[in-house]
Amino acid sequence: MERLVRLVREVSTAGEVSTTGAAVIARLGRLGGQRITDLARAEGVSQPAMTQLVNRLEGDGLVRRAADSADRRGVLVETTDRGREVIDARRTQRAEALEAALGRLDATDRAAIAAALPALDRLVDAVLDS
Amino acid sequence: MERLVRLVREVSTAGEVSTTGAAVIARLGRLGGQRITDLARAEGVSQPAMTQLVNRLEGDGLVRRAADSADRRGVLVETTDRGREVIDARRTQRAEALEAALGRLDATDRAAIAAALPALDRLVDAVLDS
DNA sequence: CACGATACATAAGCGTGTTATGTTGTTCGG
DNA sequence: CCGAACAACATAACACGCTTATGTATCGTG
């Protein structure tokens, strides 16, 4: 059960962008332009951390800063096409890996996992609310 | 489902020691003295990373370096009493948090999760083998 | 016995986070 | 309507945990 540590680290550090970076791009894809402060709060990191992350993502051409017409202090961070591509590729790659791993289990195990998914989702919510 | 990122980070960075550090101490508690190289391989990090981790853990008084009588190049890393205490405390704290989260779910969800645990364990194995 | 292999340490650098602080723009009460 | 408080973002300085490259003993073997 402690091997979970390795799994988490390997999954977290693999790929072109960090997990937080991926979460940010995915969020921008879902909700459109967001401000730095809101992104920081949504991902549970400090505002400077989000500024730096956006700097890196912008340097990689995955997001873009746009002026906020309503508030000249703020910026609106948006995804680029390349950002969307990278996220999509990451998602499908992850999905394929998961599919392959599930394929190595027997049908009983797969059914048990499928049946527990909604409950696990709620469990994550419960843990985060504390 | 992307909130999992936050959960992973919060769980990983909380506490007195890093996840890898905790895994190392737990392993030492289970198996006794281990060499740096073996610890590095077991946790999937490089040998220098393990050297540095052991330095930090030793500085915190959680592990101890002992000479290996059979091979004067190597060291045997052992846990201290304090190391065991910290790990135990971490474990019970984690268990309580999980218990509390589970308590906020209904019985159906808890049953589904319990039923899926062995399958999830095997799934982790399958993912790590790739 | 010398030479390659092994075990560990050290050095330098990167990525991601933190707190503290500065700069600029907004808002609101006297 | 103007100055003080507040807000949004950037910058600086630092910590931590990882990496690769390299150095230094020690071991084992042809």
Side-chain angles (χ1 to χ4, degrees):
Chain A
M1 249 317 188
E2 287 286 16
R3 307 213 299 158
L4 239 167
V5 172
R6 278 198 54 182
L7 190 157
V8 167
R9 186 178 41 251
E10 284 183 13
V11 168
S12 299
T13 62
E16 194 165 354
V17 294
S18 69
T19 51
T20 310
V24 164
I25 299 177
R27 167 171 268 263
L28 294 176
R30 251 181 300 127
L31 306 177
Q34 298 269 121
R35 357 199 65 211
I36 296 267
T37 305
D38 294 338
L39 288 174
R41 199 165 19 228
E43 302 307 329
V45 300
S46 64
Q47 169 265 310
M50 188 52 64
T51 289
Q52 297 175 80
L53 174 58
V54 169
N55 285 343
R56 286 190 298 268
L57 294 177
E58 195 174 25
D60 291 345
L62 304 181
V63 306
R64 161 189 348 116
R65 276 183 168 88
D68 182 349
S69 50
D71 187 340
R72 271 186 305 179
R73 291 171 302 179
V75 297
L76 285 179
V77 186
E78 307 168 346
T79 62
T80 62
D81 291 344
R82 224 175 88 63
R84 269 179 286 268
E85 285 166 21
V86 166
I87 282 299
D88 286 351
R90 177 193 177 95
R91 220 191 300 266
T92 62
Q93 177 197 334
R94 290 269 236 270
E96 282 167 9
L98 181 60
E99 208 66 37
L102 282 169
R104 261 170 275 150
L105 269 51
D106 60 37
T108 311
D109 281 354
R110 281 198 295 275
I113 290 173
L117 279 183
L120 287 172
D121 193 35
R122 283 187 283 274
L123 179 62
V124 170
D125 286 356
V127 172
L128 278 181
D129 291 357
S130 57
Chain B
M1 251 312 189
E2 287 287 16
R3 304 214 298 159
L4 239 168
V5 171
R6 278 199 55 180
L7 190 157
V8 167
R9 185 179 40 251
E10 284 182 14
V11 168
S12 299
T13 61
E16 193 166 357
V17 295
S18 67
T19 51
T20 309
V24 163
I25 299 175
R27 167 170 269 261
L28 294 175
R30 253 182 299 129
L31 306 177
Q34 300 267 123
R35 358 199 66 214
I36 296 267
T37 305
D38 294 338
L39 288 174
R41 201 165 15 230
E43 301 307 330
V45 300
S46 65
Q47 169 264 310
M50 189 52 65
T51 289
Q52 297 174 75
L53 174 59
V54 169
N55 285 342
R56 284 190 299 267
L57 294 176
E58 194 175 26
D60 291 344
L62 305 179
V63 306
R64 160 186 352 112
R65 276 183 169 87
D68 182 348
S69 50
D71 186 340
R72 273 187 302 180
R73 292 170 302 179
V75 297
L76 286 179
V77 187
E78 307 167 347
T79 61
T80 62
D81 291 346
R82 224 174 86 64
R84 267 179 287 268
E85 286 167 20
V86 167
I87 281 298
D88 286 352
R90 178 195 177 93
R91 219 191 302 266
T92 61
Q93 178 197 334
R94 289 269 236 270
E96 282 167 10
L98 181 61
E99 209 67 37
L102 281 170
R104 262 169 274 151
L105 269 51
D106 59 38
T108 312
D109 281 353
R110 281 198 295 275
I113 290 173
L117 279 183
L120 287 171
D121 194 34
R122 283 188 281 276
L123 179 63
V124 170
D125 286 356
V127 172
L128 279 181
D129 291 358
S130 57

